Amino acid sequence: MDIQEQLISTIVDSIQDKKGSKIIVADLSDIEGATVRNFIICTAKSTTQVAAVADNIREKVRIDLGIKPYGYDGYKNAQWIVIDYGHMYVHVFLPEVRDFYKLEQLWSDAKITEIPDLD
């Protein structure tokens, strides 16, 4: 497994650890003009859970892979937190905010992989 696959797997596991749901991995690598290779998008049920999922991702990726994000934003309101790993962005949304921004539709020409919920 290459580092990209390890990063995706670790992020997905981190989301599932905190009961994040509706996880998708969008492969943007074949899209001209895309600034990243992948988006990982998930939903959390409350602002507390949004922050907990994002914290768990950052901690587990740092501990397991030794990778720190280039940046992150959204903790103030915790309705949508984005974590920037350079070639990959992770988006943790409240359901209504995810429905409003519709990132999956914005990047509809990407290869989308849906990860089944654990529940």
Side-chain angles (χ1 to χ4, degrees):
M1 187 179 321
D2 71 12
I3 190 65
Q4 179 81 358
E5 291 168 333
Q6 289 176 353
L7 183 57
I8 291 169
S9 177
T10 302
I11 290 168
V12 168
D13 289 347
S14 301
I15 293 166
Q16 291 174 330
D17 284 349
K18 295 296 179 183
K19 308 288 189 237
S21 61
K22 298 181 181 173
I23 304 167
I24 65 109
V25 179
D27 181 349
L28 310 175
S29 58
D30 291 334
I31 299 175
E32 189 175 324
T35 57
V36 295
R37 273 188 259 157
N38 294 96
F39 274 177
I40 297 177
I41 302 169
C42 72
T43 300
K45 295 176 182 165
S46 67
T47 55
T48 302
Q49 188 186 19
V50 168
V53 169
D55 285 346
N56 200 49
I57 292 165
R58 291 175 39 228
E59 181 177 358
K60 193 164 184 173
V61 168
R62 182 183 52 78
I63 290 169
D64 293 358
L65 303 177
I67 299 171
K68 293 182 181 178
Y70 289 97
Y72 46 87
D73 194 22
Y75 275 91
K76 184 176 179 182
N77 294 323
Q79 295 179 354
W80 172 12
I81 294 177
V82 62
I83 307 168
D84 175 0
Y85 284 105
H87 56 280
M88 180 180 310
Y89 288 168
V90 183
H91 301 272
V92 185
F93 283 105
L94 286 177
E96 60 274 14
V97 178
R98 184 173 180 174
D99 289 345
F100 180 80
Y101 285 101
K102 300 182 188 323
L103 291 186
E104 295 95 325
Q105 291 177 6
L106 181 65
W107 295 100
S108 61
D109 44 351
K111 180 183 174 218
I112 304 287
T113 303
E114 295 183 22
I115 310 296
D117 289 343
L118 293 181
D119 313 300

